[in-house]
Structure formats: structure tokens, C-alpha cells
Amino acid sequence: ETLEGGPKTINGWFACSYCDKLKTLEYAPTNAKAIYCKYCENLVSLKGCPKELYSFNCTGCNSLKDLSNGPKEVIYDYVCSHCENLESLKGCATIVGNNFDCSYCDKLKSIKYCPKKVKGNFICWQDVEDNSGIRFEETDIKAICKVGFKIQGAKNW
């Protein structure tokens, strides 16, 4: 239910994936290089997450509605895909050193708060029946984000 009592510092990656009763990342190690909290069904807040990480993955955290209190800079990959109730990218990292993936977040209707810079691929595949699985326009993404490689899943990529 909580990370309280866990390690305060860690020299490496911290994984708390599949912790269905975990609600926040409070008490997560403050100096972890990476945080993997994948498929934590009841995670409602990223509060407690370090502000700079090598890698971050909250895939399948279906209770997250936004990314507030998450990392602000991710050196490698930032993945928030398959979060069924994610409505906004608010709080997302501003800089991602490699790939950013917000694919298959069914309630995500806007990329307004996406990173300002993604040095690798910007991946945004969506399950949208009326638009061949594409919800976002490449020009809209480029207006907000400087993408280093490909925008995958947007129209005309």
C-alpha cells in the first residue's frame, strides 16, 4: 500500500511494478536512476517521484489522470502508455533524452502538456476507430515539441 519503510537511497533502478494497492510514489528513493511502477492499478499520484531520472515507466497505471509530480527531465525513455484513464499529460517531463511513449491512453484527447523536447521518437498510437488509430496531428505535436527522430502514430508520420 505504501513505499514507507523502503530504501531512502538506491544506487540503481527502483521497481515497484504490479503493486495494485500502491496509491502514490511517496517514500520512493530520492536518488534512484530509474523508476518502474508499471501496472500499479490504483496509483493515483506520482507524488514522491524524483525530478530527474535516467528512465521512467508507468505503463498500465489505470488510475492516473495526469502526470503531475512526475519527473521533469528523463535522460532516456519516458513511457506512460496503456494508462486507460490518463486524461492529460500535465506534469510530464519537459525534456526526454530518447523516446517518449503515450500510446493507447484511451482518454487522452490532447498532447498540450507533452515534452518540449524529445531527442528520439515521439510515439502516440491510439485506439481510435474513426481515424485509423490516429488521434493527434503531426503538425500539432511539432508545434509544441522538438522531436529528434520520428513521430510514430500521428497522421502522415
Side-chain angles (χ1 to χ4, degrees), residues 131-150:
N131 202 16
S132 301
I134 297 167
R135 179 176 293 146
F136 307 116
E137 299 283 342
E138 186 173 334
T139 54
D140 294 337
I141 295 168
K142 285 182 176 180
I144 299 172
C145 181
K146 182 178 179 184
V147 179
F149 199 55
K150 291 182 180 179

Side-chain angles (χ1 to χ4, degrees), residues 15-131:
C16 55
S17 299
Y18 300 96
C19 293
D20 287 341
K21 293 183 180 182
L22 188 65
K23 295 196 186 303
T24 75
L25 295 177
E26 286 183 284
Y27 307 108
T30 56
N31 70 330
K33 303 241 185 299
I35 298 281
Y36 294 105
C37 53
K38 304 185 309 183
Y39 301 103
C40 293
E41 290 290 325
N42 291 302
L43 190 71
V44 294
S45 172
L46 299 178
K47 183 178 180 183
C49 187
K51 297 304 169 203
E52 185 177 316
L53 289 168
Y54 177 77
S55 183
F56 179 73
N57 192 323
C58 63
T59 295
C61 291
N62 291 330
S63 294
L64 281 178
K65 293 191 184 261
D66 65 35
L67 301 169
S68 295
N69 299 305
K72 295 299 168 207
E73 184 173 352
V74 176
I75 296 166
Y76 195 61
D77 289 342
Y78 188 118
V79 182
C80 57
S81 66
H82 297 86
C83 295
E84 292 176 0
N85 291 302
L86 190 68
E87 298 171 354
S88 172
L89 296 175
K90 185 175 184 178
C92 186
T94 54
I95 299 172
V96 176
N98 195 37
N99 299 319
F100 174 73
D101 187 350
C102 63
S103 297
Y104 305 109
C105 296
D106 296 340
K107 293 189 179 177
L108 188 62
K109 305 286 190 249
S110 168
I111 45 91
K112 180 178 179 182
Y113 298 105
C114 74
K116 303 291 180 228
K117 186 173 191 175
V118 172
K119 294 180 181 178
N121 294 309
F122 190 112
I123 307 160
C124 56
W125 296 105
Q126 303 297 326
D127 283 330
V128 182
E129 291 179 24
D130 62 340
N131 202 16

